[in-house]
């Protein structure tokens, strides 16, 4: 049963999309880390690009009618994806080896940067991807209306 909502956020779409896009990254990082290469976590900035497909998928999957609400949902989904990737970075970093006491402060700063940048970049990439999807949807709607209008005129 499909229900559409006008103002409420589609929480299932937000979390389902972000978790669905995080799962392959989590599996890859865990598998490679357990294989003895925990440094794989250092390519987390590349994983932020997953937010592009998260935005598109969340926009298509959402049951919200209002475009601005769908865009908010996609930004939240991208932010959640970035948060999850940042938390994974926090968890895996200690497995990379011992950290010298004088480097602990720098390591914490790096972790916090990765966490906050992941949230921000994930939300922005996801939002721009969804904006592109919304623009394409509007073009298709206008094209369809124009074709119907021309057909009604007999042209």
């Amino acid at each position: 049963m499909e229900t559409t909502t006008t103002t409420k956020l589609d929480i299932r779409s937000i979390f389902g999309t972000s978790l669905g896009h995080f799962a392959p990254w989590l599996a890859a990082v865990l598998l490679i880390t357990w294989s003895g290469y925990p440094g794989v976590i250092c390519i987390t900035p590349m994983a932020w690009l997953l937010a592009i497909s998260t935005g598109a998928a969340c926009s298509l999957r959402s049951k919200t009618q209002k475009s601005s609400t769908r865009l908010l949902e996609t930004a939240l989904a991208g932010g959640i994806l970035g948060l999850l990737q940042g938390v994974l970075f926090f968890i895996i970093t200690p497995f990379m080896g011992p950290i010298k006491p004088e480097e602990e402060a720098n390591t914490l700063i790096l972790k916090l940067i990765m966490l906050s940048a992941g949230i921000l970049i994930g939300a922005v990439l996801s939002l721009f991807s969804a904006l592109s999807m919304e623009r394409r949807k509007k073009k298709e709607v206008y094209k369809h209306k124009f074709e119907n209008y021309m057909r009604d005129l007999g042209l």
Side-chain angles (χ1 to χ4, degrees):
M1 179 164 122
E2 293 247 341
T3 59
T4 57
T5 177
T6 55
T7 56
K8 292 184 180 177
L9 292 175
D10 188 355
I11 301 297
R12 176 176 276 173
S13 175
I14 295 168
F15 283 102
T17 306
S18 56
L19 291 173
H21 283 77
F22 176 68
W25 173 245
L26 174 64
V29 168
L30 291 178
L31 180 67
I32 295 169
T33 298
W34 285 330
S35 297
Y37 301 100
V40 69
I41 199 65
C42 292
I43 63 168
T44 295
M46 291 297 292
W48 292 340
L49 295 174
L50 290 170
I52 295 171
S53 62
T54 301
C58 188
S59 178
L60 290 172
R61 187 176 174 179
S62 176
K63 293 178 177 68
T64 306
Q65 292 176 344
K66 199 171 175 186
S67 177
S68 61
T69 307
R70 272 194 310 273
L71 293 175
L72 174 61
E73 291 170 355
T74 58
L76 288 172
I80 290 169
L81 176 65
L83 174 71
L84 293 171
Q85 291 170 338
V87 169
L88 184 62
F89 188 84
F90 257 84
I91 293 169
I92 298 295
T93 303
F95 293 105
M96 292 175 58
I99 300 169
K100 296 177 185 174
E102 62 270 10
E103 292 296 320
E104 286 182 10
N106 290 339
T107 304
L108 180 61
I109 290 170
L110 175 65
K111 289 177 180 181
L112 292 173
I113 289 171
M114 292 294 282
L115 181 66
S116 56
I119 293 169
L120 180 65
I121 292 170
V124 169
L125 288 175
S126 186
L127 176 64
F128 282 123
S129 175
L131 277 170
S132 176
M133 293 295 294
E134 292 296 319
R135 199 171 301 134
R136 274 188 244 147
K137 283 180 188 178
K138 282 184 181 179
K139 276 185 181 178
E140 288 297 318
V141 167
Y142 289 135
K143 181 181 174 184
H144 185 68
K145 284 181 180 181
F146 178 74
E147 288 172 351
N148 286 341
Y149 178 73
M150 296 303 280
R151 187 182 40 178
D152 290 345
L153 291 175
L155 300 174

